[in-house]
Amino acid sequence: MNYQSAIYSEYLSDSGMLKLVSDNALIKKMLQFEIALAAAQASVGLIPADAASEIKNVLTQLVINPADLSAGTLQNGIPVITLLELAKEKLSVNAKKYLHYGATSQDVMDTAHVLMTRDAIGLIEERVSGVMQQFTQLINKYGDIVCMARTRWQQAIPITFGVKVNAWLQPLQRQLQRLAEIKNRLLVVQLGGAAGTLSHYPDKATELRDALAKELGLQSMAQWHTQRDNICEFTNWLAMLTGVFGKMGADILIMAQSEVNEVVENAEGGGKSSAMPHKSNPVLSEALVAIAKMNAGLQSQILSGMVHVNERDASAWILEWNAIPQMLINTGTCLNHALTIAIKMKVNTEQMKNKVNQFLKNNPGK
């Protein structure tokens, strides 16, 4: 499902993020949900403590390969049923009765994806902070250098290079503020049972959900099986973040043009041409622009998934399974490239000054 081409593994993918949203990661999080559910149910007196203990011991050591779930997913449209069958093969007759007790497959899938997303957010926040630090260093070193502003693709008036870099930095500061708010709504448990009413344990539904959330380190929230607004809000945040870096890439593509030559994307050697050895192509900036457009397109899938009919709609749900991991991988890739550019970019200060002087000569009084 995710972009795993060996050829493009470094250019259009990110191995660090891929590990966090891979099939193996999903399996691990689904098992984590089942362990936590059993522990929570035992804590509120819904299942025997010894059954919960056995479920934890067995599922903690259980190894399930993604290929083991393939045929079952084709048959059932979800991997959860086969995963549970494989787990029950390792449990005693008594314990297997209490595995997945009263839950539904969507509870497992949605919570597992939330847990994977939480891991991915940690990596994103770390990388965004690293990029922001490099931008700050660029401003400290070159922020007062005078260069040309360009509006509508034309020279406008002289500004400083710090103004340009701040146009990349300041949106990132706001993005982190937005993310802090979004996490409160996004990192929540999913537990609704068959049709979202927790009908299997009506007397202890809220108590159980709170206990499960505590086990997983998530916020407790009423079921949201067909309420996908928090998911959509987060993926829109991802599209916005890669859009910020797409703007950065687009700026650099202009400034790195041979006729402009205000920056070199990678002072240690940019992209080569098979026919023109004199070139240093700004290939990472090109990727930033492309990734921004990719995530914008994938966000449209998530928006379509908002039309989640009745109490469960797998045709809408599937869109998320496809789009969200890819958007996270795209975002990780984007952050890697942005950090490389921020560290290795060469700023041609003399060229900037020459263009400003030429502009002032041609436009006295500006």
Side-chain angles (χ1 to χ4, degrees), residues 134-135 137-148 160-162 164-165 168 252 255-256 260-268 341-353:
Q134 291 301 319
F135 285 169
Q137 290 186 27
L138 279 174
I139 292 171
N140 291 339
K141 188 172 183 179
Y142 300 110
D144 294 332
I145 300 298
V146 179
C147 62
M148 288 304 305
T160 65
F161 186 62
K164 287 187 177 288
V165 180
W168 312 335
I252 291 172
M255 291 188 289
V260 179
N261 194 29
E262 292 178 340
V263 300
V264 176
E265 180 194 77
N266 186 347
E268 297 180 9
I341 294 170
I343 293 172
K344 296 184 178 182
M345 182 170 61
K346 177 183 176 182
V347 180
N348 293 329
T349 58
E350 290 302 315
Q351 184 71 357
M352 289 180 174
K353 292 176 184 177

Side-chain angles (χ1 to χ4, degrees), residues 7-13 282-288 291 333 337:
I7 294 176
Y8 298 106
S9 61
E10 297 298 325
Y11 188 48
L12 295 179
S13 189
V283 296
L284 299 183
S285 296
E286 290 172 332
L288 292 184
I291 289 170
T333 306
H337 292 345

Side-chain angles (χ1 to χ4, degrees), residues 165-222:
V165 180
N166 266 318
W168 312 335
L169 172 62
Q170 291 170 354
L172 296 182
Q173 296 168 338
R174 293 191 291 272
Q175 280 295 93
L176 290 183
Q177 293 171 357
R178 293 184 182 104
L179 182 59
E181 298 172 1
I182 290 170
K183 285 194 294 185
N184 292 326
R185 296 184 286 272
L186 176 71
L187 301 181
V188 296
V189 74
Q190 174 75 285
L191 185 65
T197 62
L198 288 175
S199 57
H200 203 77
Y201 15 69
D203 296 335
K204 294 191 174 182
T206 301
E207 184 183 3
L208 173 60
R209 187 170 57 229
D210 292 347
L212 175 60
K214 184 177 180 180
E215 286 285 338
L216 293 170
L218 299 173
Q219 297 293 319
S220 182
M221 178 178 169

Side-chain angles (χ1 to χ4, degrees), residues 99-116:
L99 179 66
H100 194 70
Y101 184 66
T104 192
S105 294
Q106 185 165 4
D107 296 333
V108 185
M109 291 285 288
D110 279 349
T111 304
H113 278 102
V114 168
L115 292 171
M116 288 198 306

Side-chain angles (χ1 to χ4, degrees), residues 2-35:
N2 302 329
Y3 201 96
Q4 300 184 50
S5 165
I7 294 176
Y8 298 106
S9 61
E10 297 298 325
Y11 188 48
L12 295 179
S13 189
D14 169 27
S15 59
M17 185 64 76
L18 181 58
K19 290 179 182 178
L20 300 181
V21 298
S22 66
D23 290 340
N24 285 318
L26 177 61
I27 291 170
K28 180 180 179 180
K29 299 305 185 185
M30 288 192 291
L31 293 173
Q32 183 181 351
F33 172 89
E34 297 295 350
I35 293 169

